[in-house]
Amino acid sequence: MKPKKYNISVEATLEVIGGKWKCVILCHLTHGKKRTSELKRLMPDITQKMLTQQLRELEGDGVINRIVYNQVPPKVEYELSEYGTSLESILSALCSWGEEHITKVYGDKFSVLEDSILNDSLK
């Protein structure tokens, strides 16, 4: 199999964290382990199918760990892997830029930001 070629290295980054939901999932996981139901509650607009797909892709890329507890009923949690924690500075920079962009476009960032643990530090 021929190795993949990238025009620029940011393509490789976007291949792993690109899309509407992956960065949001990763940001939530920077605050600790989460069960699928917790992530769904934190992101009410994501479908269960999309959440499951995104979690599988992130796990496949090695940036999150899936922890299965051997109990009844079954319990599964997700956390950033050691490799995934290397994305924290990138995620923080994306959040900072987004906050500045929201302020520029909308003025009051709190009029458009959801009430979320991820936004608590902005208050």
Side-chain angles (χ1 to χ4, degrees):
M1 187 171 167
K2 188 176 178 182
K4 185 166 185 163
K5 293 280 190 175
Y6 297 99
N7 290 316
I8 186 170
S9 57
V10 73
E11 287 181 79
T13 306
L14 292 174
E15 190 172 70
V16 175
I17 66 169
K20 183 175 180 179
W21 298 109
K22 287 183 179 179
C23 282
V24 179
I25 292 167
L26 292 169
C27 284
H28 283 297
L29 293 179
T30 63
H31 292 272
K33 294 177 186 174
K34 301 280 184 286
R35 295 181 71 171
T36 308
S37 59
E38 290 177 277
L39 289 167
K40 179 72 175 98
R41 191 170 41 258
L42 292 166
M43 301 179 295
D45 292 338
I46 193 171
T47 65
Q48 186 64 48
K49 179 182 176 183
M50 181 58 69
L51 177 58
T52 300
Q53 178 185 333
Q54 300 293 277
L55 289 168
R56 285 181 182 153
E57 290 176 12
L58 289 166
E59 182 185 11
D61 287 325
V63 293
I64 65 170
N65 295 323
R66 182 175 187 259
I67 305 158
V68 180
Y69 296 92
N70 190 15
Q71 65 183 50
V72 176
K75 179 180 174 183
V76 176
E77 289 182 326
Y78 293 91
E79 68 180 359
L80 287 178
S81 66
E82 187 176 333
Y83 184 50
T85 59
S86 67
L87 291 167
E88 286 183 358
S89 61
I90 294 168
L91 297 169
S92 179
L94 286 170
C95 287
S96 295
W97 190 90
E99 184 183 339
E100 290 175 25
H101 176 71
I102 289 169
T103 301
K104 178 182 178 196
V105 173
Y106 300 99
D108 178 21
K109 62 187 166 206
F110 298 108
S111 66
V112 295
L113 283 174
E114 295 283 342
D115 188 24
S116 165
I117 189 170
L118 296 179
N119 299 323
D120 285 349
S121 64
L122 304 177
K123 294 178 182 175

